[in-house]
Amino acid sequence: MKTKILKALSLFFAILFFTYAVVIRILTPVIISFSDIWFLLSLFFIFFFIRLKKGKFLSKKGRIILFSFAGLAFAISAVNLFFIFTPQVNDGSVSTKYLLVLGGGIRRDGSLSEMPMERLRSASLYLKNHPETKAIVSGGTLPLSEYAEAPAMKKELQLMGIEEERVLVEDEALNTIQNFQKSLLVICREENISKAEALSMPLTVVTSSFHLARSERLARRLGFTEVYGLPAKIPAVYALNVYAREILCYVKLNLEILFTGKPERII
């Protein structure tokens, strides 16, 4: 009976993860993406199912290793999810002069994918309620793409009713660290101030809810002294994929800080 249950569960998870991987790949068609991990998990459960069907099971030592690894992964995930779910959110009561909108994906035809569009919707609502605030849209030309994200983001904000002069473009950044580094230079030019002065200005960062806590931590690590987050919704179908990826990214960031001291302060 125990073996039958394990076989049924193995087959169930193999089909579930394979189906999810296919759905994510269809929705976000790229050559290599994090969604490939769901294919790998599907293969793992297929392998486990085949072994069970042949009457083979893990040795006692193998079970100890497997369950120990699973327990450790669960504990690490739980701790990191606590931080991921508790960013410092700007509920609209704090007004900052600049709103930094992070890019999040552009299709091969130059149109924005759903996640950056949600970020722009959150940004446009804030900008309409805070007419003194300017937006910096940040995103360069990523590998496998012919288009920079920032100009497309500015165009969408204008279509949402935000005046052109309120949207500043930073179209060189290729990752979150560069989003902050290069947007800082935009603020310095716009305000005619030093980097130190710009770092001391309050800043609101707009990104997807799962990405908010890590973005805030990176900003503070780089030297921004007062950082708030404005979350954008994510389509439900992406939740498992993006949060699993974010856990690994958060762990990676912690390890980099611990062992290399990077990223370092801008000044």
Side-chain angles (χ1 to χ4, degrees):
M1 181 62 71
K2 182 179 179 181
T3 302
K4 287 183 178 180
I5 294 174
L6 288 174
K7 283 196 293 185
L9 287 173
S10 299
L11 187 59
F12 171 77
F13 282 115
I15 295 172
L16 177 67
F17 287 134
F18 180 80
T19 303
Y20 186 66
V22 170
V23 170
I24 295 296
R25 179 53 66 88
I26 291 172
L27 293 174
T28 54
V30 294
I31 294 177
I32 298 174
S33 74
F34 182 78
S35 63
D36 290 336
I37 195 172
W38 308 114
F39 283 119
L40 294 176
L41 283 172
S42 177
L43 289 174
F44 169 79
F45 281 106
I46 289 172
F47 171 75
F48 196 56
F49 172 77
I50 292 172
R51 282 185 62 89
L52 289 170
K53 198 168 184 180
K54 290 181 178 180
K56 297 178 181 180
F57 193 61
L58 292 175
S59 64
K60 183 178 180 180
K61 182 178 180 181
R63 291 197 299 273
I64 292 174
I65 293 173
L66 177 62
F67 289 120
S68 296
F69 176 80
L72 179 62
F74 178 82
I76 291 174
S77 298
V79 171
N80 283 276
L81 278 173
F82 171 79
F83 292 105
I84 291 169
F85 282 128
T86 55
Q88 184 172 346
V89 174
N90 186 342
D91 59 5
S93 60
V94 178
S95 180
T96 57
K97 191 167 184 179
Y98 289 97
L99 192 71
L100 174 56
V101 190
L102 305 186
I106 190 167
R107 299 187 181 97
R108 293 182 181 181
D109 63 359
S111 63
L112 295 172
S113 59
E114 185 60 26
M115 273 194 273
M117 286 300 295
E118 286 292 348
R119 297 176 186 185
L120 293 171
R121 291 181 189 112
S122 293
S124 67
L125 181 60
Y126 182 94
L127 290 167
K128 289 172 183 177
N129 291 330
H130 298 81
E132 74 286 355
T133 299
K134 292 183 178 181
I136 303 172
V137 289
S138 178
T141 306
L142 299 173
L144 310 178
S145 175
E146 299 178 7
Y147 304 93
E149 289 183 84
M153 293 166 71
K154 177 172 182 174
K155 181 179 178 181
E156 291 295 339
L157 275 180
Q158 289 179 250
L159 291 174
M160 293 176 186
I162 306 304
E163 300 87 345
E164 180 180 4
E165 61 273 15
R166 294 181 64 198
V167 185
L168 309 176
V169 172
E170 185 293 295
D171 60 358
E172 296 179 355
L174 301 180
N175 56 47
T176 306
I177 293 176
Q178 290 182 15
N179 286 141
F180 288 110
Q181 291 173 331
K182 295 181 182 297
S183 295
L184 177 70
L185 299 179
V186 174
I187 296 173
C188 289
R189 289 195 299 268
E190 188 72 11
E191 298 290 320
N192 193 26
I193 57 176
S194 67
K195 289 182 181 180
E197 291 172 307
L199 287 169
S200 66
M201 292 179 64
L203 179 70
T204 295
V205 182
V206 186
T207 188
S208 302
S209 54
F210 69 88
H211 187 231
L212 207 55
R214 182 161 58 96
S215 298
E216 290 178 5
R217 186 170 187 196
L218 281 171
R220 295 188 182 98
R221 183 80 186 174
L222 292 169
F224 288 88
T225 58
E226 191 175 349
V227 185
Y228 302 93
L230 187 63
K233 296 178 182 178
I234 57 171
V237 68
Y238 292 111
L240 179 61
N241 191 62
V242 296
Y243 277 104
R245 181 180 182 277
E246 190 62 17
I247 290 169
L248 295 179
C249 290
Y250 214 89
V251 170
K252 178 176 178 288
L253 174 60
N254 289 332
L255 292 176
E256 286 179 346
I257 292 173
L258 179 64
F259 291 108
T260 70
K262 295 181 179 180
E264 299 174 343
R265 290 178 63 90
I266 293 174
I267 55 173

